[in-house]
Amino acid sequence: CQNLSVSFWNSYWMLPSDVCGMNCFWEAAFRYDYMKTHPSEEMHLAVVACGERLEETVTMLRSAIIFSIKPLHFHIFSEDQLHESFKDILDEFPYEGRVNYTLYPITFPSESAAEWKKLFKPCASQRLFLPLILKNVDSLLYVDTDILFLRPVDDIWSFLRKFNSTQIAAMAPEHEEPRIGWYNRFARHPYYGVTGINSGVMLMNMTRIRRKYFKNDMTPVRLQWGEILMPLLKKYKLNITWGDQDLLNIMFYHNPESLYVFPCQWNYRPDHCIYGSNCKAAEEEGIFILHGNRGVYHDDKQPTFRAVYEAIKNYSFGDDLVHSLLQPLEQELQKTTHAYCGRVYKVFIKQLTQSIRDLYARRSKGR
């Protein structure tokens, strides 16, 4: 299917087939039919929110809801004082039966809770304990609060079917270009691959994680997930900068066969454009998941990232996605061409446009 230009959407009632041809329409309709006739359990998505992360987390959840096909179950780990606010907001979401959520307190092993909580950012290390806490969840997509989905969660969830018999998790590389890589230039500990991995988007087969015995550099005996975390922290705590992400890098350095690596457009960060465009997959297909780390959604350093965040935050469920989201966003992005990432602003709406087109095709097919 050809890419859809916003300018083509000059009528609310225009069907996808009118602008991208019958092949595009039936391709999207077939995908919708396949999802309906191949039901599976709901998709599980986890996030850890502490401090001033309520709005950012809700915006992430909204982006997950907009395009996804199968039901979603959100597992939200947050400080107790945020629970009521989350409940008030999520209970107003107009997708009863399609979206469920569970709120959890922040919990670490009692004997080392203080040490885990102060590692890197407050509560960030909670993600390491998800396989041990969510014992009845088979598979899980963990994301940071500063994630925005520009295509259905179903599509990254489908990577679970691509795991081979040894793979237990999937993440994206920390960098595409080694010359600007952090791990390969500065790390004082082992890390995965050439440039390390980024844990902001982490797809996990939790059943496999709980069953696996991990090779390590502390003992010739392989250790399970719950046994290896504290020894790793004790050995490397003076040498790690990025907290739990560093520990994951160390683990997968020793167990590389256990990791599935997905392309950079599934975890697109400012580093992919501020030093020149270096995520080729995004240039070709667009950004699938936007990761606004370094606080770029909330300052003026990267206005391209902030424009996408503000557009999704301000979108009202049920409004026309073209006129209420896509067109205003493109207008804002055109104002950011003075910034490094703004020079490639079209990659920020390329997949979003496709996702909207697919959504209209599904709705039309469902009539």
Side-chain angles (χ1 to χ4, degrees):
C1 297
Q2 295 178 341
N3 291 317
L4 175 65
S5 170
V6 175
S7 61
F8 280 100
W9 288 87
N10 54 15
S11 170
Y12 178 92
W13 298 106
M14 186 179 290
L15 294 177
S17 55
D18 295 326
V19 292
C20 63
M22 290 301 293
N23 287 341
C24 176
F25 174 77
W26 289 114
E27 176 185 323
F30 173 80
R31 180 164 166 266
Y32 176 58
D33 280 345
Y34 181 86
M35 294 293 186
K36 288 182 67 176
T37 57
H38 292 73
S40 63
E41 75 284 359
E42 60 190 352
M43 299 178 292
H44 292 264
L45 187 151
V47 64
V48 179
C50 288
E52 304 297 321
R53 297 283 182 162
L54 175 67
E55 178 195 273
E56 191 173 85
T57 304
V58 170
T59 304
M60 179 276 292
L61 298 176
R62 290 164 56 82
S63 75
I65 292 171
I66 291 173
F67 299 113
S68 294
I69 302 169
K70 294 195 291 291
L72 288 161
H73 191 124
F74 298 134
H75 300 269
I76 303 169
F77 291 78
S78 71
E79 294 164 311
D80 294 344
Q81 62 266 29
L82 294 179
H83 283 207
E84 197 62 34
S85 296
F86 271 118
K87 188 177 185 302
D88 290 343
I89 294 169
L90 295 174
D91 285 349
E92 292 297 317
F93 280 6
Y95 291 94
E96 185 177 356
R98 300 286 301 168
V99 177
N100 295 297
Y101 70 89
T102 307
L103 292 165
Y104 305 84
I106 300 297
T107 53
F108 295 108
S110 57
E111 68 278 6
S112 55
E115 193 164 9
W116 283 113
K117 189 165 185 177
K118 69 181 181 182
L119 182 66
F120 193 46
K121 295 179 181 178
C123 307
S125 298
Q126 181 74 80
R127 81 183 85 181
L128 294 176
F129 298 93
L130 297 180
L132 307 177
I133 297 171
L134 303 176
K135 295 180 180 180
N136 295 320
V137 176
D138 175 70
S139 296
L140 182 76
L141 176 63
Y142 166 84
V143 294
D144 287 346
T145 61
D146 51 9
I147 291 296
L148 294 172
F149 293 92
L150 304 184
R151 67 182 294 170
V153 175
D154 307 64
D155 295 330
I156 190 169
W157 191 259
S158 69
F159 280 121
L160 289 165
R161 298 194 299 269
K162 298 183 180 181
F163 284 12
N164 65 27
S165 61
T166 66
Q167 290 166 337
I168 64 173
M171 286 180 268
E174 174 70 10
H175 288 283
E176 298 300 304
E177 174 51 67
R179 289 176 295 179
I180 61 172
W182 193 92
Y183 283 108
N184 55 290
R185 292 188 297 160
F186 306 117
R188 296 179 293 163
H189 58 79
Y191 55 89
Y192 179 89
V194 177
T195 61
I197 47 176
N198 183 280
S199 61
V201 179
M202 182 165 60
L203 183 65
M204 295 178 279
N205 183 317
M206 305 246 281
T207 299
R208 290 186 179 184
I209 288 176
R210 288 186 286 261
R211 291 175 179 170
K212 183 174 177 61
Y213 286 83
F214 292 85
K215 299 187 292 290
N216 60 88
D217 59 359
M218 299 170 291
T219 170
V221 178
R222 297 190 180 201
L223 302 174
Q224 288 190 290
W225 189 269
E227 301 169 326
I228 200 171
L229 295 175
M230 180 48 69
L232 271 180
L233 179 60
K234 287 182 177 179
K235 178 171 182 176
Y236 287 104
K237 65 180 179 180
L238 298 180
N239 293 320
I240 58 177
T241 301
W242 308 113
D244 49 300
Q245 177 173 290
D246 291 346
L247 297 181
L248 290 166
N249 266 280
I250 296 167
M251 293 175 71
F252 286 107
Y253 169 83
H254 292 291
N255 300 269
E257 75 288 347
S258 297
L259 187 67
Y260 180 99
V261 180
F262 48 69
C264 50
Q265 75 262 50
W266 293 97
N267 187 347
Y268 190 96
R269 284 157 279 125
D271 284 352
H272 289 121
C273 50
I274 61 176
Y275 303 111
S277 182
N278 58 66
C279 178
K280 298 302 179 184
E283 292 177 14
E284 296 171 1
E285 302 176 284
I287 298 168
F288 298 166
I289 295 179
L290 192 69
H291 186 176
N293 62 341
R294 303 180 184 175
V296 295
Y297 294 150
H298 312 293
D299 59 32
D300 296 322
K301 294 180 180 178
Q302 300 301 331
T304 316
F305 280 77
R306 183 168 185 170
V308 180
Y309 175 80
E310 292 291 333
I312 293 176
K313 183 188 76 172
N314 295 327
Y315 170 74
S316 296
F317 287 126
D319 284 356
D320 170 39
L321 282 160
V322 176
H323 294 107
S324 297
L325 176 62
L326 189 58
Q327 287 180 342
L329 174 57
E330 184 172 29
Q331 292 172 2
E332 288 302 311
L333 290 175
Q334 289 173 349
K335 301 175 184 177
T336 71
T337 54
H338 63 282
Y340 288 111
C341 294
R343 296 173 186 175
V344 292
Y345 79 87
K346 290 184 178 180
V347 306
F348 287 75
I349 55 170
K350 193 171 188 177
Q351 177 56 49
L352 183 62
T353 302
Q354 179 67 51
S355 295
I356 292 173
R357 180 166 58 190
D358 287 351
L359 179 58
Y360 275 101
R362 296 199 301 271
R363 287 177 177 174
S364 181
K365 178 68 175 178
R367 289 195 181 114

